[in-house]
Amino acid sequence: MTGYVVKRVAAGLLTLLVLSVLVFVATSVLPGDAASALLGRQAKGEALDALRHEMGLDQPLPKQYWDWLTGLLHGDLGHSVTGYVAGADVSVWSQISGRLTNSAVLAAVSFVLIVALSLLLGVYVALRKGRWQDHLISTATLVPAALPEFVLGALLLAVFVTWLDLLPPVSLITPGHNPLETPELLVLPVLTLIGVTVGASVRMIRAGMLEALQADSVAVARLNGIAEPKVIRRYALRNALAPGIQVFALIAQYLVGGLLIVEVMFGYPGIGKELVDAVTIHDNTEVRSVTMILAVFYVAVTIVADALVVLAVPKARP
């Protein structure tokens, strides 16, 4: 098991290294730069050259990459373009830390609710295969999953804001405050994320549960007179969790990208909206650093999910 985890971590680190090169190159070849964005498209001459020199944009690309990567490895995400606008030294971390916390809260609340709903509904419909409850819940969860985030979000806005007037149309969080202090601002973003993801996870848990219920161990447990709730909990659910863990890992990874659309749509001050703003002003350092933070999370989730599957299902061990 230790060797398996070490190999997965090594592969993850190699993936991150390759990704860092790709991200740096992709942001470097885009037309324009931060200096031009700050001074305007018509800016040229000594003023533009001086600002590029101050920002290190006149250095060779290999040196720029090396400086950024070594800083990243030491926990230094670089300097934000907004600091040059304000005439102060503003680090990327100070610029994104609050937004990152807001996104983490939104993602965590959504993920916990998705997992809970998926397990409850997936097991429930599996035990009622072919009945009206199975058809109703399966259809009700798949319909919103078939819609893009912005379509489902627009429908929720129409229902809960325009029609019922129950919730605010935007999710503006006061800087320095925990989003959980104003839970009503999280309702629409969380409902949107749940709607587009829970359908697939319910179907996967249902399929895994149906397969687990047909296992010999479940049949033997029932013949021995073990109570049905204990059979489901002890013998069926554990084997059904293997595909579920993989799906939940994919959902956690999806939330990284799905947050971007939802945050922009509802005006939620998270890392997704911050990334869009950084791209707009050509803040390549912030774009690269934020992308790598999200990539580290993505790779870490994959490794943890694979390890949990191996631990939960002994036959899956290498």
Side-chain angles (χ1 to χ4, degrees):
M1 183 65 187
T2 303
Y4 172 77
V5 173
V6 170
K7 290 179 181 179
R8 298 292 290 119
V9 171
L13 292 176
L14 180 60
T15 300
L16 291 174
L17 179 61
V18 173
L19 181 62
S20 71
V21 176
L22 295 177
V23 169
F24 183 87
V25 172
T27 53
S28 298
V29 300
L30 293 175
D33 57 24
S36 300
L38 291 177
L39 297 180
R41 293 184 178 181
Q42 305 301 322
K44 56 183 178 179
E46 295 182 358
L48 183 59
D49 293 338
L51 183 57
R52 280 177 173 161
H53 178 73
E54 183 181 355
M55 300 175 74
L57 299 177
D58 58 345
Q59 298 293 327
L61 288 181
K63 186 177 187 308
Q64 291 186 44
Y65 171 75
W66 180 251
D67 291 341
W68 167 67
L69 182 63
T70 53
L72 205 62
L73 294 175
H74 288 86
D76 181 8
L77 304 183
H79 303 280
S80 173
V81 167
T82 57
Y84 294 95
V85 177
D89 186 8
V90 178
S91 67
V92 169
W93 177 249
S94 65
Q95 188 75 7
I96 69 172
S97 57
R99 301 292 188 101
L100 200 60
T101 300
N102 291 343
S103 290
V105 171
L106 176 58
V109 171
S110 302
F111 185 74
V112 169
L113 292 177
I114 290 168
V115 171
L117 283 173
S118 300
L119 290 174
L120 289 174
L121 296 178
V123 172
Y124 180 80
V125 296
L127 297 176
R128 287 157 180 80
K129 178 186 176 183
R131 302 180 186 177
W132 67 268
Q133 298 99 324
D134 182 15
H135 298 300
L136 176 63
I137 293 176
S138 297
T139 302
T141 54
L142 285 178
V143 169
L147 300 175
E149 294 93 336
F150 64 89
V151 173
L152 180 58
L155 291 176
L156 292 175
L157 281 170
V159 173
F160 290 100
V161 178
T162 305
W163 182 26
L164 299 177
D165 194 24
L166 292 176
L167 298 169
V170 292
S171 302
L172 297 177
I173 308 296
T174 305
H177 286 72
N178 190 321
L180 295 176
E181 296 176 0
T182 50
E184 67 276 7
L185 299 180
L186 294 173
V187 174
L188 289 179
V190 168
L191 284 179
T192 302
L193 293 170
I194 290 176
V196 297
T197 55
V198 77
S201 55
V202 167
R203 296 295 295 178
M204 188 60 70
I205 294 295
R206 176 185 181 277
M209 195 67 186
L210 288 175
E211 183 179 353
L213 288 171
Q214 297 174 359
D216 293 339
S217 58
V218 172
V220 171
R222 285 170 172 168
L223 290 174
N224 288 332
I226 299 177
E228 187 67 12
K230 188 175 181 180
V231 171
I232 294 172
R233 244 184 359 259
R234 184 171 180 180
Y235 295 94
L237 187 57
R238 180 173 180 177
N239 289 329
L241 282 179
I245 290 172
Q246 295 290 357
V247 172
F248 293 143
L250 291 175
I251 289 175
Q253 293 165 341
Y254 156 79
L255 289 176
V256 174
L259 286 179
L260 190 150
I261 299 173
V262 172
E263 287 177 359
V264 172
M265 182 172 188
F266 293 103
Y268 186 83
I271 198 63
K273 191 171 185 303
E274 178 69 18
L275 186 59
V276 172
D277 295 339
V279 171
T280 302
I281 62 174
H282 294 279
D283 192 345
N284 289 343
T285 301
E286 183 171 329
V287 172
R288 294 163 184 162
S289 298
V290 170
T291 302
M292 291 307 299
I293 290 175
L294 299 180
V296 168
F297 172 79
Y298 192 99
V299 171
V301 167
T302 302
I303 295 173
V304 171
D306 290 345
L308 288 177
V309 169
V310 172
L311 288 173
V313 184
K315 65 181 180 180
R317 294 178 184 178

